[in-house]
Structures are given as C-alpha cells and as structure tokens.
C-alpha cells in the first residue's frame, strides 16, 4: 500500500529511486517546511532536466534518487555546484536511455537538491525536494539536457470556502480510512496526517503516495485546477479504500487458524476479486467460451438439450465449490468428443488388397471379408460396421492385421488390450458423481483419436474375466451388437453415443472362454496356423529383411536360402505363428552383426550348416514316420496350439485278467475314447477274427509316446481302435498311413477339427494315405491343392471301413504268440488303470 508505506517511512530505511533501473516507487516523505517553497517568479526560466523512469515528483515532497547514467551524473554535479536546482521530468518510455524532451512528459517539477551522497561504485544518491510545477516549452540543448520552461501559478484549495473545505475534509477522511484498513501501519501515522496543515501540500503529498500507476499520477501532476486535482485524487483514494474493505471482509470471514485448504480458498477469493477489478477472465468467461464451442458441434437434439442443462448448472455453481470442477470436466469432455466427425473411407479395392497382401502373407479369408465390406459400403454409402472376431493361435498376425485394415481403409487405429480386464467400468465408465470418475475406455479412445469411425482392435477378448466389480463381457454385449451400439450409453457420458460406424475387430486364441451371448454377436473368422511353406515365405519377405535392418545389416550383405529358413522353422520352432521364428532369425542376425562389428568375414549366403553353427543343435525333433513291423502301432493326427502333429498309438498285450491300462498323460475324453473302442472291438471280435477269450486272459496296455505332454480330445478314437485290432489280430498296419476321427459305441466315425494343420503335419512326416470321416470332405476342399500333393485321402463312414484300409491281410513278420487256454480264467469284472 503506497500511502501506508509513506507513513511508515519514519520507521524504515530510506529507499532511493534510480533514474536508470526499474525499481519500486520511492517513499515520499514530508518536507521540513513545505510552505517555504520557491514560486515561479523566483525560479530560473531555463532548467537542466533530470529524466526519471518510474516516479512523479510533487511540490513539497522529498524523494531520494540514485543517479546511474553518466550524462545525468554530470548534470547533477554541475547543478549541485551551482544553485542546486534542476527539473525532474518522468519519461514516457521507461526503456529509453537517452531521452529527448519529446520522449518526456511535458509537465515536471522544479526540485532543490538537499543532499548529495557519493556511492562506492561511482553512482550518486541525491535527496530532492519538489518546489513548483512547470511545463517544458523548448529544448535548448541535448548534452546536457536543458530546456526553457514556464511555471505553474500554484493555487491551493481555500478552507474558508465551504465546498473546498468539505473537499479537504473528504481527502483527510479517505486517507484516514486507508490507514485504518491497513493494520500493519503504526498508530503514529494518523497523527502525522493530522499534522499536515497546508491544503496544497496535503493534495500533493497524498497524490504522491496514492496507489496509482505512473500515467495516472502524471495526470494528477498536470492538473492546474486544485479542485479538479483534489476530486480525482479523492476518487483514487476511495477506490483504494473500497479494495481494502473487500480484502478485510475476506479476512474477517476466514478463520485465523486456516489450514492449507482454507488458505487456498482465501487466495482464490482474492484472485476473483482482483480479476473482477481488472476485468480479466473469470468463471463467467469460461462459461461463455464453452457455449461458443458448443455452437460448432454437430450433436443430436437430445445431447444438445442435455449439454444446455449442464451449462446452466455450471453457471449457477460457485467456482469454489467441489462440484464446480466436476461439472467443468464433464462439459469439456462432451465438447472434446468428435460428435458426427468421420474420416473418409478409401474405396479403391485394388489398392486395399495390395496393402493387405503386402503386410500379411496368406490370411485370405479375412482379407476377402474386408474387401466385401468395403464393396458393399461403396455401393450403399451407409452400412453398419460388422463385428469381426479373428480366432486363431498366437503369432499368426491377428493384431497387426487390424492395423493393416485401418491403413487400407484410411481410418484411425485404436488398440484396446482386454487381457485381464475385470472391472465393468473399464468398458462403461463410472458415474461422474464418484470421486475420480472416468469414462469407459472405448469413449475415451474415441475422444483421443478425434473421429467417430475408427478401427478398434479389441485384443484378447477371450481373456476377459469377472469378479465382484462386474462382468466386462456383459458390458461388451451392447458395444458389439450392430443393432444396439448406435445408442451406446457410457455411465460417465450419460447420453447416447453412436458407435455403429466403428469397425470393431476382436481377437481371440480360444472361443471356449467367450461368453456365448457375446460370441453370438461376432462374426468368427478362423485364422489357421501357417504352413511351413508359408512360414518360409513370410520369413523371406518380411522377417529376414526386418531383422537385418534392425541389426544394422544391409539386405545385399547376407542372403539366406529357403533350406536354411526351413531348418530354422522345423528344428528350432514349434508354433502356429511366426513369433518364435522371428526370435530365432533375430538370434542369427545378432551373430552376424557381432561378426561385422568385429571385422570378421560374413557368409555371402546363409546355408543350413551356418544355421546349425549359430543356433546349435536342433531344439525340436519333429516326429517322423518310423517303419516298423510291430503289431499295434498306429499313426494318428493331432492338433496343438502350435499347429498340427503326428501322434503314435501303441498297444501291447500281456498275460493277465483283461485289465485295460492307459498311459501318456491322457485327458478324460481320450480315456473314454479308448474304453469305447475296446467295447466295440469286443462286440465285433468274431467278425474281425479275434478269439473272445483273449479279452479275458490278456491285459491290454495302450500308450501314447511323449508321456510328459498332456493329450486330450476325441480325434484319436479310430487310431486307438485300429491299434487294438492290430494288436489282437497281429496283422500289419498299412505303411505310411495316418488317421483321425472320433468313434462311437456303434462303430460310426465322426468328423473332427483342425484338418488343415493335421494334413500338413502328415505331409511333413512323409505320410501317403490319410483316413478321415466323409463329413470332413468340406475341410479338404478348402485346402490348396499344392498342400495335398502326394496324399491319398480315404473316407471311412464306419470303423469297419477303417480296418479294411488300415490292416493288411498278412501278419507282422514276428507276431506275438497269444496262446489261449480252453477254460477262461475267472475275472473280477472290467478294470481300467490309467497311468
């Protein structure tokens, strides 16, 4: 407070005002005898002028000034040596270092130098007393700055005139009120104010100390009419007193022992008051800005009405209330959403197919489905986006395919990982009234990309789980229903949002864990594993060039043969996808990069022998068909999560009481298949040529090699039956024959899945004949002819047909002797042992 600072100057060190640095205003102190000042008639007509940057000197007021400019120091020394008089004029531009009279205010004050103090750094400090005001008429010289001036005829208010006396009393009362509202000012300050008797000095002293900027004080200095000057000064004092009253009112409503929260509230109230006084942006401006943004939105009428109500609620809320920030965040979120904003789809189907083919090898089904969708959209210009679910083993490119689809269509891309999501609010959001409420991830991601028709990848949808916080799968039912998602409602948003233009693509490794209702809403596209030939092509076109680039090698530096790629895929990976293959190729390129960095020679072409040197001995030894003349050994076909494989079934008879033993870490379904096969074999023993007494006098042990690997499923049913029949009859099994199919208790052969992977595994193992159920013919028709070369497919409707193809008429070279006693040994009943 400037006026308060003036009155407290007697208790504070005297602060000097520099003529060259922007410092706080100097403290104005009273002259010892303000009535004995020079008048215009006694003052010289020409004056050396001292420009000052940030203060205005009034008549009768004493100010300290620190002079730093060399030109000004020279001027002050010369004036002090002469009559100690000079003119003090404020600069119009504080940044000017060498101002002329045109850059100074036209009205200044004649000052007498009361004292000159030398500073150690060469600067000087002078104590000035204002004498009389003047107007600069003409500049006479620049160095030093000298001008011809004309002086004011100083006229003061007359206390004998009632109107002017009342104006003087009003000035004293306003100044006293300012002192009373400033508790840090000592009690002696009021006595000092009462001690000023001169009306002219009272006006000039208060003008010097009132809280005004330099241009306003300069206007007060330039007023020759004392009444007009006093009235403007009174207005400034009253405004200052009003501001102090507001601050004191805030203080009185604030407890003296305020904590951090109360202190923040107090400061915000002060800030609001200052903003109102200064005309700066406040809460009203924020509301106005939000409403202006809303005028550009293309939202439905119901949404616009809801937004209007929220804005009215926001305008009524106290900005200091906790609900204000909640409402502000909500309306800003509504404005940030891309209502009705869409990217334009690319309908060049040939270009789209090129992009999809360049990014992914194979996957023809899903590529064809995307092209169909774009074709219909191109013709109709309006189509509800389908909900696709890419189902297949890990590493086949399900997730990366979504990015390629987005690029091909020209849409924004969003990937949402749903693995391990347990909270329903992750999908639908929280109610905005909760502390820390957030919108669901779908709406939040749409806000982030800024369009309403992106491609959203719902990754690992089969790994969504549920707990006490809700079931995210149920929340996805509305999102993934093309008939409902046009009116999707997020709990945080509270209004409907159209998701029908969003292309949702879900990925899953297993369909069993997906909620049935959710699965029904999606179009399942089965992505089978890659064949070895496809893996080699992917490695040659994508993986090998990528790894060379990532490891600082050029494609022309090292070539790799198809045989080497086959070796990596066969001997060092066992998977349906190509993630493991990429890791092994990365290991190869790292070895090459080390050689290059060590300036060792690099092989021009990578051959299988080089692969073995780098990667070591083969990790996986794929089962190859083994020619054997042992009865009871049959080759089956199995599907695993890493692709197809062949599976051996071994049966052995030994003296006993008809016990069945199963080993090989089998699942319940596989055990039941073995029991079913044995029951049917016993029922048809005579027709097959088996002595029924063998079932009572011999134990049967069925084993599946690689016992540490869990096995389950019904597809080994006919292989188990054929293995039993071969063991009991000691007849040879057709060489290079593999089979897959489920068996029933009536001897029917049922279809199974994974035919493509199984046939590729049989082809790799060197098989020639395959036995399948006739209903699997449709699966064969979908496989490329190149993958069926060298294979003969036999369709068997019943297990009798299987035996006709599988068992040869001759016995094995060294048949097992199975003597049968005339009288059967009593048995305790059927017994099954599983190891």
């Amino acid at each position: 407070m400037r006026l308060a600072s003036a009155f407290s100057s007697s208790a504070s060190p005297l602060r000097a005002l520099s003529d060259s640095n922007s410092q706080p205003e100097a403290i104005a102190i009273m002259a010892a005898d303000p009535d004995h000042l020079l008048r215009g008639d006694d003052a010289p007509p020409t004056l050396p002028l001292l420009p000052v940057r940030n203060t205005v000197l009034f008549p009768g007021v004493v100010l300290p000034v620190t002079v730093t400019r060399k030109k000004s120091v020279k001027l002050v020394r010369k004036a002090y040596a002469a009559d100690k008089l000079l003119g003090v004029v404020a600069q119009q531009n504080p940044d000017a270092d060498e101002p002329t009279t045109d850059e100074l205010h036209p009205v200044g004050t004649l000052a007498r130098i009361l004292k000159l103090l030398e500073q150690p750094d060469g600067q000087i400090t002078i104590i000035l007393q204002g004498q009389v005001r003047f107007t600069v008429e003409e500049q006479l010289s620049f160095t030093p700055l000298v001008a011809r001036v004309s002086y004011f005829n100083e006229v003061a208010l007359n206390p004998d005139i009632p109107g002017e006396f009342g104006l003087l009393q009003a000035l004293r009362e306003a100044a006293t009120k300012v002192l009373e509202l400033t508790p840090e000012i000592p009690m002696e300050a009021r006595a000092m104010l009462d001690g000023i008797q001169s009306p002219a000095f009272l006006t000039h002293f208060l003008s010097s100390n009132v809280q005004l900027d330099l241009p306003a004080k300069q206007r007060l200095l330039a007023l020759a009419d004392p009444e007009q000057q006093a009235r403007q000064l009174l207005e400034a004092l009253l405004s200052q007193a009003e501001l102090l009253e507001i601050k004191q009112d805030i203080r009185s409503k604030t407890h003296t022992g305020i904590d951090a929260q109360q202190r923040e509230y107090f400061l915000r109230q002060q800030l609001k008051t200052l903003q109102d006084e200064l005309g700066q942006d406040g809460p009203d401006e924020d509301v106005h800005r939000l409403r202006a943004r809303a005028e550009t939105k293309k939202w439905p009428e119901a949404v616009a009405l809801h937004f209007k109500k929220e804005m009215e609620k926001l305008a009524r809320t106290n900005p200091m209330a906790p609900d204000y920030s909640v409402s502000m965040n909500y309306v800003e979120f509504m404005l940030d959403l891309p209502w009705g904003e869409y990217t334009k789809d690319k309908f060049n189907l040939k270009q789209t197919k090129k992009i999809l083919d360049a990014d992914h090898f194979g996957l023809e089904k899903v590529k064809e489905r995307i092209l169909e969708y774009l074709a219909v959209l191109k013709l109709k210009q309006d189509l509800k986006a389908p909900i696709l679910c890419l189902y297949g083993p890990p590493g086949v490119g399900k997730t990366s395919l979504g990015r390629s689809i987005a690029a091909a269509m020209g849409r924004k891309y969003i990937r949402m990982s749903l693995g391990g999501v347990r909270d329903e609010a992750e999908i639908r959001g929280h109610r905005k009234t909760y502390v820390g409420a957030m919108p669901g991830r779908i709406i939040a991601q749409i806000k982030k990309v800024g369009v309403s028709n992106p491609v959203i990848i719902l990754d690992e949808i089969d790994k969504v789980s549920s707990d006490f916080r809700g079931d995210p799968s149920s929340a996805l039912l509305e999102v993934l229903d093309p008939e409902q998602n046009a009116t999707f409602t997020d709990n945080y948003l509270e209004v409907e949002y159209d998701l029908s233009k969003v292309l949702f693509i879900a990925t899953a490794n297993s369909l069993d864990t997906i909620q049935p209702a959710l699965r029904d809403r999606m179009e399942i596209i089965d992505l089978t594993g890659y064949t070895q030939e496809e893996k080699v092509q992917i490695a040659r076109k994508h993986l090998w060039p990528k790894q060379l680039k990532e490891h600082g090698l050029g494609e022309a530096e090292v070539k790799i043969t198809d045989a080497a790629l086959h070796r990596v895929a066969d001997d060092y990976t066992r998977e349906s996808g190509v993630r493991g293959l990429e890791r092994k190729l990365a290991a190869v390129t790292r070895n090459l990069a080390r050689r290059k960095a060590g300036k060792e020679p690099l092989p021009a072409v990578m051959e299988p022998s080089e692969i073995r040197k780098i990667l070591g001995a083969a990790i996986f030894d794929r089962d190859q068909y083994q020619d054997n003349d042992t009865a009871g050994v049959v080759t089956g076909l199995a599907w695993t999560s890493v692709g197809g494989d062949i599976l051996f079934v071994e049966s052995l008879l030994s003296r006993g009481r008809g016990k069945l033993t199963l080993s090989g870490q089998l699942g319940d379904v596989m055990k039941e298949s073995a029991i079913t096969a044995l029951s049917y074999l016993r029922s048809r023993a005579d027709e097959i040529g088996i002595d029924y007494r063998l079932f009572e006098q011999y134990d049967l042990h069925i084993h599946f090699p690689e016992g540490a690997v869990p096995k389950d499923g019904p597809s080994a049913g006919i292989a188990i039956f054929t293995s039993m029949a071969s063991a009991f009859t000691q007849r040879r099994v057709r060489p290079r024959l593999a089979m897959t199919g489920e068996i029933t208790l009536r001897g029917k052969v049922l279809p199974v899945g994974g035919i493509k992977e199984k046939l590729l595994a049989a082809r790799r193992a060197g098989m020639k004949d395959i036995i399948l159920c006739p209903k699997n013919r449709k699966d064969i028709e979908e496989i490329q002819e190149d993958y069926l070369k060298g294979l003969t497919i036999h369709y068997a409707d019943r297990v009798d047909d299987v035996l006709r193809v599988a068992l040869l008429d001759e016995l094995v070279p060294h048949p097992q002797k199975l003597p049968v006693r005339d009288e059967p040994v009593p048995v305790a009943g059927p017994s099954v042992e599983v190891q």
Side-chain angles (χ1 to χ4, degrees):
M1 191 61 60
R2 285 294 303 117
L3 184 61
S5 300
F7 287 122
S8 63
S9 64
S10 59
S12 305
L14 192 65
R15 289 180 295 171
L17 178 73
S18 170
D19 68 335
S20 62
N21 299 317
S22 297
Q23 296 179 359
E25 294 185 10
I27 300 173
I29 62 175
M30 289 189 292
D33 191 3
D35 291 330
H36 294 79
L37 303 175
L38 287 177
R39 303 190 66 83
D41 298 338
D42 304 326
T46 61
L47 285 176
L49 300 183
L50 177 64
V52 293
R53 297 179 188 271
N54 51 8
T55 193
V56 177
L57 178 63
F58 286 83
V61 175
V62 175
L63 280 178
V65 176
T66 297
V67 184
T68 59
R69 288 184 283 215
K70 293 181 180 181
K71 179 180 177 182
S72 298
V73 170
K74 185 176 180 182
L75 181 144
V76 169
R77 292 184 185 278
K78 184 177 180 180
Y80 188 72
D83 54 4
K84 295 183 175 59
L85 296 178
L86 51 76
V88 178
V89 188
Q91 296 180 200
Q92 294 183 9
N93 180 14
D95 298 328
D97 290 330
E98 299 289 340
T100 63
T101 54
D102 294 335
E103 297 175 297
L104 301 176
H105 286 285
V107 178
T109 303
L110 173 65
R112 183 184 299 276
I113 304 175
L114 299 181
K115 194 169 185 179
L116 186 146
L117 304 173
E118 296 284 349
Q119 302 290 340
D121 56 358
Q123 301 177 358
I124 60 174
T125 299
I126 55 176
I127 308 300
L128 301 176
Q129 182 188 36
Q131 302 292 315
V132 62
R133 295 174 288 175
F134 62 79
T135 302
V136 178
E137 298 293 344
E138 181 184 0
Q139 179 177 327
L140 299 180
S141 68
F142 180 71
T143 307
L145 187 58
V146 179
R148 182 171 55 82
V149 299
S150 60
Y151 294 96
F152 279 42
N153 182 17
E154 296 288 0
V155 181
L157 294 174
N158 189 352
D160 296 332
I161 299 176
E164 296 184 6
F165 176 77
L167 192 55
L168 286 171
Q169 290 298 109
L171 286 174
R172 290 182 181 276
E173 292 174 1
T176 302
K177 189 173 184 180
V178 171
L179 293 174
E180 292 175 350
L181 292 172
T182 311
E184 60 267 19
I185 301 302
M187 295 297 295
E188 293 82 358
R190 183 168 182 176
M192 293 173 61
L193 180 62
D194 294 339
I196 301 177
Q197 301 299 325
S198 171
F201 182 69
L202 177 65
T203 303
H204 292 315
F205 180 73
L206 294 178
S207 298
S208 180
N209 290 282
V210 72
Q211 187 174 349
L212 291 174
D213 56 12
L214 190 142
K217 286 189 177 183
Q218 185 65 38
R219 288 193 294 270
L220 283 176
L221 180 70
L223 290 175
D225 184 359
E227 184 177 354
Q228 187 179 1
Q229 185 186 35
R231 290 187 182 278
Q232 289 195 15
L233 174 61
L234 179 61
E235 182 179 348
L237 286 171
L238 292 176
S239 176
Q240 186 174 348
E242 183 180 357
L243 182 60
L244 287 170
E245 283 183 338
I246 294 173
K247 289 186 175 181
Q248 187 177 40
D249 182 59
I250 295 174
R251 289 192 187 100
S252 65
K253 294 179 180 178
T254 307
H255 193 272
T256 56
I258 56 177
D259 55 14
Q261 183 177 359
Q262 290 172 314
R263 175 180 175 81
E264 181 182 358
Y265 174 77
F266 170 70
L267 294 175
R268 287 185 181 275
Q269 285 293 102
Q270 286 186 317
L271 178 62
K272 181 178 181 297
T273 302
L274 294 175
Q275 286 176 338
D276 294 341
E277 290 291 328
L278 297 175
Q280 295 180 354
D281 292 347
D284 294 339
E285 290 296 327
D286 291 336
V287 172
H288 178 73
R289 175 177 53 84
L290 294 173
R291 283 176 172 161
R293 286 183 61 191
E295 294 177 358
T296 63
K297 286 295 177 180
K298 306 174 185 178
W299 42 29
E301 183 178 351
V303 178
L305 181 61
H306 180 79
F307 179 82
K308 182 179 178 182
K309 291 181 179 179
E310 288 294 328
M311 288 302 302
E312 292 174 353
K313 177 183 176 183
L314 181 65
R316 294 192 304 267
T317 305
N318 186 340
M320 298 301 107
D323 290 344
Y324 184 81
S325 60
V326 175
S327 297
M328 176 64 74
N329 292 337
Y330 177 70
V331 296
E332 287 182 341
F333 180 78
M334 288 191 68
L335 291 171
D336 291 340
L337 282 174
W339 301 90
E341 299 179 20
Y342 304 101
T343 54
K344 187 176 181 181
D345 289 329
K346 297 178 182 178
F347 294 120
N348 189 333
L349 301 184
K350 292 183 179 179
Q351 184 64 25
T352 300
K353 190 174 189 309
K354 287 183 180 179
I355 294 175
L356 294 176
D357 289 339
D359 291 345
H360 293 81
F361 186 84
L363 307 180
E364 301 301 331
K365 282 187 180 180
V366 65
K367 293 178 184 177
E368 186 66 26
R369 182 65 185 88
I370 295 301
L371 293 175
E372 291 172 357
Y373 167 71
L374 286 177
V376 176
L377 187 60
K378 179 179 180 179
L379 297 175
K380 192 179 178 184
Q381 297 297 322
D382 183 21
L383 177 67
K384 291 182 179 179
I387 313 299
L388 305 179
C389 179
L390 306 182
Y391 158 64
V396 297
K398 300 185 295 298
T399 304
S400 60
L401 186 63
R403 186 182 295 106
S404 299
I405 291 171
M409 297 177 65
R411 291 193 180 188
K412 297 291 184 68
Y413 169 78
I414 298 172
R415 176 183 171 273
M416 288 176 51
S417 178
L418 299 180
V421 173
R422 293 185 176 87
D423 192 353
E424 177 191 352
E426 293 279 343
I427 308 300
R428 283 193 171 276
H430 308 82
R431 299 289 180 187
K432 70 175 186 288
T433 53
Y434 294 154
V435 176
M438 295 175 61
R441 291 168 65 178
I442 293 176
I443 293 296
Q445 290 291 338
I446 287 178
K447 171 200 165 186
K448 183 177 179 180
V449 298
V451 292
S452 295
N453 64 335
V455 174
I456 297 182
I457 305 298
L458 301 176
D459 211 7
E460 310 292 354
I461 197 172
D462 57 320
K463 296 174 179 60
V464 173
S465 54
S466 61
D467 61 9
F468 64 92
R469 289 168 289 191
D471 183 6
S473 297
S474 300
L476 285 170
L477 292 177
E478 181 182 6
V479 176
L480 300 183
D481 191 341
E483 301 299 328
Q484 299 179 24
N485 60 12
T487 58
F488 173 70
T489 303
D490 187 275
N491 290 333
Y492 182 84
L493 189 59
E494 293 184 346
V495 292
E496 296 177 351
Y497 195 88
D498 186 5
L499 298 179
S500 62
K501 302 297 188 298
V502 177
L503 178 58
F504 288 101
I505 299 178
T507 70
N509 300 128
S510 173
L511 299 179
D512 299 335
T513 57
I514 301 178
Q515 186 178 354
L518 182 60
R519 179 178 175 179
D520 182 65
R521 283 164 165 76
M522 299 185 294
E523 180 179 345
I524 307 297
I525 298 179
D526 190 2
L527 301 185
T528 57
Y530 293 115
T531 65
Q532 292 300 103
E533 291 77 8
E534 289 173 335
K535 288 182 180 181
V536 170
Q537 293 299 321
I538 293 172
R540 175 165 298 284
K541 295 180 180 179
H542 301 283
L543 303 183
W544 182 251
K546 175 184 175 183
Q547 292 303 321
L548 288 176
K549 181 178 179 181
E550 289 185 355
H551 291 84
L553 298 170
E555 291 189 37
E557 290 186 74
V558 183
K559 303 292 184 181
I560 190 168
T561 63
D562 287 348
L565 293 175
H566 268 291
R567 174 63 59 85
V568 177
D570 283 341
D571 295 347
Y572 301 96
T573 66
R574 177 168 289 185
E575 57 178 350
S576 293
V578 292
R579 284 202 187 107
L581 177 59
E582 184 174 12
R583 285 193 290 268
K584 292 302 177 182
L585 291 177
V588 174
T589 51
R590 282 197 302 271
N591 182 275
L592 296 175
R594 183 188 60 78
R595 291 194 208 175
K596 181 179 179 181
K599 297 183 180 180
E600 300 178 20
L602 297 180
V605 180
M606 295 294 295
E607 298 289 351
S609 58
E610 286 289 337
I611 297 296
R612 182 176 179 83
K613 291 179 183 178
I614 296 173
L615 298 181
I619 299 175
F620 299 104
D621 183 14
R622 290 189 175 272
D623 292 326
Q624 296 292 323
Y625 175 74
Q626 303 170 358
D627 288 323
N628 63 79
D629 295 326
T630 304
V633 180
V634 177
T635 304
L637 298 176
W639 181 92
T640 68
S641 60
V642 295
D645 207 346
I646 64 174
L647 179 72
F648 291 108
V649 184
E650 301 174 346
S651 295
L652 182 66
L653 296 176
S654 60
R655 288 279 189 177
R657 297 188 175 186
K659 182 176 66 174
L660 173 62
T661 301
L662 304 174
S663 61
Q665 203 171 158
L666 309 181
D668 292 337
V669 177
M670 216 164 188
K671 299 172 192 174
E672 293 172 356
S673 296
I675 296 173
T676 302
L678 180 58
S679 297
Y680 183 75
L681 184 65
R682 292 170 65 109
S683 67
R684 302 295 301 276
D686 293 339
E687 298 178 20
I688 299 174
I690 302 175
D691 191 333
Y692 72 92
R693 291 174 295 179
L694 292 175
F695 297 107
E696 298 172 348
Q697 299 178 14
Y698 285 85
D699 293 339
L700 175 62
H701 186 166
I702 302 176
H703 177 66
F704 293 80
E706 296 188 16
V709 180
K711 310 170 188 68
D712 200 6
S715 61
I718 62 173
I720 296 173
F721 178 82
T722 305
S723 175
M724 293 179 182
S726 174
F728 277 105
T729 62
Q730 293 294 295
R731 292 168 61 183
R732 297 184 61 182
V733 177
R734 181 188 295 272
R736 300 192 177 277
L737 169 71
M739 60 187 71
T740 180
E742 181 179 356
I743 187 175
T744 70
L745 200 58
R746 297 175 294 158
K748 292 281 292 181
V749 179
L750 300 182
V752 292
I755 297 299
K756 178 182 177 182
E757 287 82 358
K758 293 177 179 179
L759 289 186
L760 293 174
R763 190 164 177 261
R764 288 194 302 268
M767 296 297 171
K768 301 296 183 182
D769 296 276
I770 306 294
I771 299 179
L772 298 175
C773 173
K775 292 183 179 179
N776 283 124
R777 191 186 299 271
K778 63 181 185 301
D779 300 302
I780 299 296
E781 294 173 354
E782 293 182 359
I783 302 175
Q784 298 181 24
E785 293 184 2
D786 293 342
Y787 299 152
L788 299 177
K789 286 183 179 179
L791 293 179
T792 302
I793 310 298
H794 304 272
Y795 296 103
D797 185 56
R798 298 185 58 84
V799 290
D800 303 310
D801 303 327
V802 173
L803 294 183
R804 275 193 290 270
V805 175
L807 295 185
L808 300 178
D809 292 335
E810 66 264 25
L811 300 178
V812 296
H814 305 286
Q816 181 181 2
K817 296 181 180 180
L818 300 175
V820 180
R821 291 188 295 270
D822 292 336
E823 296 182 1
V825 178
V827 296
S831 173
V832 178
E833 180 181 340
V834 180
Q835 296 179 355

